[in-house]
């Protein structure tokens, strides 16, 4: 059942519970944010009021942990992890290995050529060990590898610096080193579009190959960078069901819904300068309602099958969404549940209601 809203209104019904209260005990609801967000008292208060768990949106990436000379700087990452700890919020580590937002020296020489395998493995091991050790006890689970799968139908893995230097088993080695650095911490693989059948099959292959080596991999993170028009809710439910039946917990790690025109789906980090920007001064009511409905069907789809233990939005509010700069730079996007003034949008009430309903039925079972 969907909630109706009056035109132009903020749309939050008086009864809409903060998300974490609506969901309490059934599924963790989180958002990602950065050090500037937690330094802002209003944003920090909203995060703590609405969300159970927390992810660093940017400042946990290798580029922020270590510099070009191999020096680690913990100050900002520590601030984020400590904010989560101080507020009793589970903190998800995003992430240890990715081809973006990283340091070239990990896997390439000064001319951009792949390092010898042994050198690249040592760098991988040292990086993972240092970071996982540093955050032991403060990270609830680590995204060990991000976006290793190819978007191309027949190809299994992407061509990346880590893979060129080490080989396909850079993935297994990353899981091995993360587990060795902290045997207690759950580990997951994270990627976009993996709910789609062709990429879902590759994901299952990857997860099974890691497990077949006797290594720990607990969960799969479906990023959930979705569009107003797709994927269909059944595709989302089917993917969750299949991952769960294969023995993996499912996390929705980076949820948002792009309301602007797009020619491609997915989240491969490449942006262009030119593209339509139809709503620079606010989202028309009609699209606001569409977004609320779309969030409704997405949450119904996520919660229908068993398997999902956490749902995290990628960003605290529309003004801080990466979708203002992806796949076209400098647009005005509206993909989250809170607007630029931190007011809950109509989609917030819809999601809150669905979470409360799900919680009630979960408690009945
Ligand atoms: C984005 C961040 O939001 C940006 O701040 C950063 O500059 C680039 O990365 N998939 C991911 C996330 O796994 O790390 C990306 O986040 C969005 C796509």
């Amino acid at each position: 059942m969907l909630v109706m809203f009056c035109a132009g209104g903020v749309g939050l019904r008086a009864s809409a519970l903060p998300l974490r209260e609506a969901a309490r005990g059934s599924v963790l609801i989180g958002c990602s944010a950065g050090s500037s967000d937690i330094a802002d008292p209003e944003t920090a208060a909203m995060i703590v009021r609405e969300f159970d768990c927390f992810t660093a949106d940017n400042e946990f990436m290798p580029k922020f942990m270590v510099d070009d000379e191999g020096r680690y700087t913990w100050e900002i990452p520590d601030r984020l992890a400590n904010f989560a700890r101080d507020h009793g919020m589970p903190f998800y580590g995003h992430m240890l290995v990715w081809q973006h937002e990283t340091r070239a020296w990990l896997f390439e020489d000064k001319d951009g050529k792949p390092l010898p395998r042994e050198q690249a493995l040592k760098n991988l091991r040292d990086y993972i060990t240092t970071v996982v050790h540093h955050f032991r006890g403060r990270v609830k689970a680590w995204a060990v590898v991000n976006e290793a799968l190819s978007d191309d139908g027949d190809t299994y893995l992407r061509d990346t610096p880590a893979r060129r230097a080490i080989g396909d088993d850079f993935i297994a080695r990353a899981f091995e080193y993360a587990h060795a650095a902290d045997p207690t911490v759950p580990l997951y693989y994270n990627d976009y579009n993996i709910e789609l059948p062709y990429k879902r099959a590759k994901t299952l292959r990857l997860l099974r190959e890691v497990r077949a080596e006797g290594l720990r991999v607990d969960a799969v993170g479906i990023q959930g960078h979705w569009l107003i028009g797709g994927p269909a809710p059944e595709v989302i439910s089917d993917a969750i069901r299949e991952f769960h039946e294969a023995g993996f917990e499912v996390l929705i790690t980076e949820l948002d819904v792009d309301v602007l025109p797009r020619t491609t789906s997915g989240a491969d980090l490449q942006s262009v300068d030119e593209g339509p920007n139809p709503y620079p001064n606010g989202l028309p009511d009609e699209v606001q309602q569409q977004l609320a409905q779309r969030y409704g069907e997405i949450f119904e789809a996520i919660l229908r099958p068993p398997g999902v233990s956490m749902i995290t939005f990628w960003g605290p509010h529309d003004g801080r969404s990466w979708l203002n700069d992806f796949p076209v730079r400098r647009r005005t996007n509206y993909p989250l549940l809170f607007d630029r003034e931190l007011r809950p949008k109509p989609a917030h009430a819809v999601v809150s209601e669905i979470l409360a309903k799900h919680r009630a039925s979960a408690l009945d079972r």
Side-chain angles (χ1 to χ4, degrees):
M1 191 205 38
L2 284 181
V3 188
M4 298 308 293
F5 309 95
C6 39
V10 170
L12 178 65
R13 296 192 325 172
S15 61
L17 291 172
L19 303 172
R20 64 192 296 266
E21 270 180 50
R24 184 172 310 204
S26 56
V27 58
L28 293 175
I29 304 293
C31 79
S32 75
S35 54
S36 63
D37 300 306
I38 60 169
D40 173 58
E42 274 181 67
T43 310
M46 185 275 273
I47 290 173
V48 170
R49 182 187 74 234
E50 294 284 337
F51 298 104
D52 294 297
C53 60
F54 191 55
T55 307
D57 66 347
N58 209 319
E59 292 154 329
F60 249 59
M61 296 178 183
K63 194 170 103 178
F64 290 86
M65 298 277 184
V66 69
D67 68 11
D68 278 332
E69 275 70 52
R71 285 184 299 252
Y72 288 81
T73 42
W74 304 116
E75 193 201 329
I76 289 178
D78 274 347
R79 224 182 279 165
L80 291 158
N82 294 348
F83 173 85
R85 184 193 59 199
D86 294 348
H87 291 92
M89 302 171 89
F91 185 80
Y92 288 80
H94 179 80
M95 35 87 237
L96 295 169
V97 187
W98 192 26
Q99 54 275 11
H100 298 295
E101 309 288 358
T102 189
R103 295 289 169 190
W105 60 259
L106 282 163
F107 308 115
E108 289 174 346
D109 68 16
K110 292 224 157 31
D111 303 320
K113 299 219 177 61
L115 290 178
R117 174 178 158 91
E118 288 313 316
Q119 181 62 46
L121 278 175
K122 180 179 183 314
N123 290 349
L124 180 72
R125 185 202 294 262
D126 287 351
Y127 178 77
I128 290 178
T129 307
T130 306
V131 172
V132 173
H133 264 162
H134 182 81
F135 291 102
R136 242 180 335 191
R138 288 187 289 167
V139 165
K140 180 178 171 75
W142 273 107
V144 177
V145 177
N146 196 33
E147 300 179 3
L149 294 170
S150 169
D151 288 321
D152 171 7
D154 299 328
T155 311
Y156 176 38
L157 298 177
R158 259 175 216 280
D159 183 26
T160 64
R163 181 165 169 241
R164 280 195 291 274
I166 296 172
D168 290 4
D169 74 329
F170 85 90
I171 299 169
R173 298 290 70 75
F175 277 91
E176 179 187 332
Y177 301 154
H179 181 58
D182 182 356
T184 66
V185 74
L187 305 176
Y188 59 102
Y189 173 74
N190 195 55
D191 209 335
Y192 64 84
N193 278 358
I194 57 173
E195 63 283 353
L196 304 182
Y198 86 99
K199 226 170 151 182
R200 193 194 302 170
K202 299 182 204 188
T203 308
L204 281 164
R205 174 174 165 190
L206 184 155
L207 295 166
R208 287 182 171 133
E209 283 178 3
V210 174
R211 275 214 182 143
E213 286 203 38
L215 297 169
R216 176 169 191 168
V217 49
D218 301 80
V220 56
I222 298 176
Q223 290 187 1
H225 293 297
W226 289 324
L227 311 182
I228 276 275
E234 309 79 67
V235 171
I236 297 172
S237 297
D238 286 353
I240 292 167
R241 200 170 291 115
E242 202 172 334
F243 288 137
H244 179 63
E245 281 169 5
F248 300 93
E249 192 180 318
V250 182
L251 314 172
I252 308 294
T253 50
E254 305 182 21
L255 181 58
D256 48 26
V257 175
D258 194 345
V259 300
L260 300 185
R262 281 275 284 267
T263 50
T264 52
S265 72
D268 198 11
L269 217 63
Q270 305 270 342
S271 290
V272 295
D273 281 317
E274 298 296 320
N277 184 26
Y279 317 123
N281 303 314
L283 196 61
D285 269 350
E286 188 194 317
V287 190
Q288 191 76 272
Q289 298 306 329
Q290 258 181 297
L291 179 68
Q293 281 199 19
R294 175 68 174 140
Y295 261 115
E297 70 177 22
I298 286 175
F299 269 78
E300 301 271 12
I302 291 173
L303 297 171
R304 194 169 302 126
V308 173
S309 57
M310 171 274 246
I311 305 169
T312 284
F313 292 88
W314 203 243
H317 62 83
D318 287 345
R320 283 275 294 114
S321 169
W322 75 300
L323 290 175
N324 294 305
D325 288 291
F326 175 87
V328 178
R329 289 189 199 93
R330 291 177 296 280
R331 296 204 290 184
T332 311
N333 215 330
Y334 303 85
L336 297 167
L337 299 193
F338 293 87
D339 70 16
R340 288 168 167 73
E341 279 73 51
L342 302 183
R343 292 173 304 199
K345 295 156 64 177
H348 175 280
V350 172
V351 168
S352 173
E353 187 147 318
I354 291 169
L355 288 172
K357 199 176 69 186
H358 170 73
R359 172 175 184 261
S361 68
L363 292 179
D364 277 353
R365 280 199 293 272

